[in-house]
Structure formats: structure tokens, C-alpha cells
Amino acid sequence: MFASNKRHRKVHVSMSSYATNTEVILALDVESRQKAMAVLAEVGSGLKWVKVGLQSFLRDGPDFVRELADTGYDVFLDLKLHDIPNTVSKAIESLSGLPIGMLTMHACAGSECMKAAAETTRKHLTGAKLLAVTVLTSLNKDGLREIGLEGAVAGHVERLAKLAVNSEVDGIVCSPLEIEPLRRILPKETALITPGIRPSGTSKDEQKRVLSPADASGLGADYLVIGRPILNSPDPAEAFHGIMAELEDADI
Ligand code: C5P
């Protein structure tokens, strides 16, 4: 089901042409593998990271991850794993040998699960970072109450982020509004990965709480996950390079 030997347009990636500490991860939220490779060809050089989510991983599988890595990209595999410790560990073991730079799981799976996942990641995905998602941004205070969690969303985010870091997770996926409070309470080596980024003048789509690339970087985000502002742009290369130039200026 996963294997595909289709040929794709060749993309050549040149790395690190921007002097900024904040990396952009292009979310490959497109309808096909062919479309993903075509977008990458349009964006061209300078992009280092791409995000493969459940939609494309279930459709295109490990073979797609290998193709991206062979082309020169670092892959952020956003599977948001959430199960009992043994099952999550075995799932990570199944990814063994795949060229993955970052992998996500839910902090709500608990400390035992996160510790087991961190250990399996170190053993089977050498060099990969394990990241935790705290509270899904689709859940507000009422949504949390429905599942038995009283109180403000921010409190749950901070508690789960600390639990994740104490369970040897390497980084946290957080909303733009959470960068500042998390930066304050987490060790500086904890990576913060932030979606909900919109360069000024672009559509917010359905994202409600957005920040510009420079603002998110200034608050302490290490990686920005960006999809539609690049994917839907009439000129994806210009959109991407505009964001990188903004980040470079903000770092000076
Ligand atoms: O197109 P856009 O830039 O909004 O894409 C953001 C990416 O980050 C998408 O892949 C989306 O699934 C993901 N994401 C998000 N908000 C979250 C968590 C993940 O937008 N809270």
C-alpha cells in the first residue's frame, strides 16, 4: 500500500543560504505526492524542512519520506502519536531507519509513554527530535471542560509542556500565543515549533491567533510551520524567500 515507484520531478535543494536561527518548515498539505514535489520544485533552493502529516503519510507512506530525504530535505513527521506506552514505542520502532528529523506525539499520553517514546526515538531514530503536542488548538476552555479538564487552556498547556520536558521530550509544538509563556518556563534547549504564522498582508485562512514570522521568531520560536501562505501563493518561491528575508532582518 505504501510503496510507490512513480517518478517525480527532480528538486535540488541547497541548504543554509539564510543567516537566521529560526527555521521554516513547509507543511506539505496538498492533495497528492506529485503536487507536493511540484510545489517544492517551485519553491526551489533554501528550504530545509518539510512537514509530512497524517494525510500524506497514510497516503504516500515511508517511501515518500525517503524521497524527500533523498532530495535533500529534513522531514518533520507529524503523526501525533497517542496510545499506551508499548504501542507508541512499537510504532516508533516501525519507523526505524526512516530519515526523520522530528516526530510528534501527544503529551496527554502521559509521562510513562513519553519516556518510553523518547527512549525508543533515541534508539531507533538516531538524531531525531521527539516533540509533544500539549492541548490541540482546536480545543478551547469549553472543549477541555467536556473532557473533564477544568480551568484555563494556558494552565493545561504549561503543565503538559513541563511534564513533556521532564519526560525527556526534546520540544513542544505550540500556538503563537504560547511561545512567550513557554519560553519563560522551559529550558532554553527545548525546541518550540509554531504553526499559525502569517506574513503581513496574507490571508489568515481559518487560523484565529496568528503572528508574523518575525514576531514569532522574536518571542523565541525555533521552527515555524507554514503551509498556505506559501502553498496558495501565486509565486511560492517569492512567498518563501520573503519570509526568510523577514526572519533574517529580524535576527540582525
Ligand atoms: O496552512 P497553515 O500555515 O495554516 O498550516 C499550518 C500547519 O500547521 C498545518 O499543517 C496544520 O495542520 C498545522 N497545525 C496548525 N495548528 C495547530 C497545529 C498544527 O495549523 N495548532
Side-chain angles (χ1 to χ4, degrees), residues 21-26 48-54 57 65 68-69 73-81 92 95 98-105 117 121-122 125-133 169-174 189-195 221-226:
N21 294 324
T22 312
E23 305 258 16
V24 167
I25 304 174
L26 175 60
K48 184 166 189 261
W49 283 91
V50 292
K51 185 188 102 155
V52 172
L54 272 175
F57 193 68
V65 171
L68 290 166
Y73 297 103
D74 287 352
V75 178
F76 171 30
L77 188 60
D78 189 18
L79 298 183
K80 296 193 177 70
L81 300 170
I92 295 171
L95 298 170
L98 263 193
I100 296 166
M102 292 193 250
L103 174 71
T104 56
M105 69 174 297
T121 300
R122 279 196 297 274
L125 295 176
T126 317
K129 281 189 165 78
L130 179 68
L131 312 175
V133 174
V169 162
D170 305 297
I172 305 291
V173 182
C174 65
E189 60 272 18
T190 303
L192 292 186
I193 291 85
T194 313
D222 300 296
Y223 298 85
L224 310 179
V225 182
I226 305 181

Side-chain angles (χ1 to χ4, degrees), residues 128-140:
K129 281 189 165 78
L130 179 68
L131 312 175
V133 174
T134 57
V135 176
L136 289 169
T137 47
S138 50
L139 287 172
N140 60 15

